[in-house]
Amino acid sequence: MVTRSVEDYLKAIYKLQQNGSPATTNAIAESMGLRAASVTAMLQQLSKQGLAEYRRYKGAYLTDGGMATALRVIRRHRLIELYLNQHLGVPWDCVHDEAERLEHAITPYLEERIDAKLGYPSFDPHGAPIPSSTGALPVQDLVPLLDLPPDTPSVVRHIPDDDPELLRYVASLGLKPDVRITVKEHDPATGSVLLSVVSPSEGETTHEVSRAVGQHIFVRRPSIGNER
């Protein structure tokens, strides 16, 4: 049986293995706020259920079955975030925690009704891709804002949803998905960038973005000319 706890673990493993390496016990424990011993016990359970491949001291990968389950949970989470933001007016810095609670509760029927109501979207309010009902993910070619060369126009595409303070701050600068930006200059001493931001409401503004913030803002790779 796939319990809420199992779904949470599968989602955490999925996110951690995106860099091509196994999700280690310590990394899973840190991301979920759990003890390593508890994580080890669950990884052994997931392995027995055929949802993950786990090797002691090496970490875990999801099996095809585990991947499919993780993507279903992520799909529900991101659809809920978008629905809450667009139709209930929940701020984008608050939808993550609400979706964490609701993602385990909605039925497949309600999931599909929400998808239809939203017009079958491809991305959530933070620019994260929404898996299709078959588990397919829309492709993006992104780079961190800090890697964008000077005087090269681009578009903000994704900002992670798990830091409300960061989301509130970047929103105050007009930095949200689909906003056009241009790096004016890099400060090699601090790693910060001077940024031109063009938003529909504020027009063009200029802001200095620190390295700590800029590393969490992902933009369209300059060589890619197609819009989403």
Side-chain angles (χ1 to χ4, degrees):
M1 178 180 179
V2 180
T3 63
R4 172 174 181 163
S5 178
V6 167
E7 288 183 339
D8 284 339
Y9 269 93
L10 295 177
K11 185 171 66 170
I13 296 169
Y14 172 84
K15 292 179 178 180
L16 289 168
Q17 70 177 46
Q18 292 307 293
N19 63 2
S21 302
T24 66
T25 300
N26 288 338
I28 297 169
E30 181 178 356
S31 70
M32 299 183 70
L34 300 171
R35 295 183 300 110
S38 300
V39 173
T40 297
M42 177 57 84
L43 291 179
Q44 292 169 344
Q45 180 180 329
L46 295 178
S47 182
K48 290 179 181 178
Q49 293 179 357
L51 297 171
E53 295 181 4
Y54 168 62
R55 293 185 180 182
R56 192 176 183 185
Y57 306 124
K58 298 292 185 180
Y61 279 113
L62 297 180
T63 62
D64 289 344
M67 181 74 71
T69 301
L71 287 171
R72 283 197 296 271
V73 179
I74 290 169
R75 169 177 165 80
R76 293 197 299 263
H77 181 100
R78 293 175 180 172
L79 284 172
I80 291 168
E81 284 194 341
L82 189 59
Y83 184 82
L84 292 175
N85 183 248
Q86 286 193 357
H87 291 277
L88 299 183
V90 179
W92 81 326
D93 56 289
C94 298
V95 293
H96 174 72
D97 287 344
E98 296 296 337
E100 285 284 297
R101 301 180 184 98
L102 294 170
E103 67 189 23
H104 306 285
I106 67 170
T107 63
Y109 171 78
L110 185 55
E111 172 190 320
E112 297 310 315
R113 294 285 292 182
I114 291 172
D115 192 25
K117 179 68 174 179
L118 291 169
Y120 307 102
S122 297
F123 299 89
D124 75 6
H126 314 95
I130 299 174
S132 71
S133 58
T134 60
L137 283 164
V139 176
Q140 295 193 98
D141 191 5
L142 308 181
V143 295
L145 171 64
L146 299 176
D147 292 349
L148 193 65
D151 300 318
T152 304
S154 188
V155 178
V156 176
R157 287 305 194 205
H158 174 56
I159 301 168
D161 65 359
D162 55 359
D163 186 341
E165 185 176 349
L166 172 68
L167 291 173
R168 287 190 290 271
Y169 176 68
V170 297
S172 74
L173 304 181
L175 292 169
K176 284 192 170 185
D178 296 327
V179 166
R180 292 184 291 126
I181 54 95
T182 303
V183 171
K184 293 301 185 181
E185 62 181 74
H186 291 264
D187 185 337
T190 65
S192 65
V193 295
L194 188 64
L195 192 66
S196 168
V197 181
V198 181
S199 70
S201 59
E202 301 293 332
E204 184 174 3
T205 55
T206 302
H207 303 282
E208 183 175 1
V209 176
S210 70
R211 180 176 183 83
V213 171
Q215 66 183 345
H216 297 294
I217 300 172
F218 295 88
V219 303
R220 187 182 62 201
R221 187 182 297 277
S223 60
I224 302 299
N226 295 328
E227 290 294 326
R228 182 187 286 180

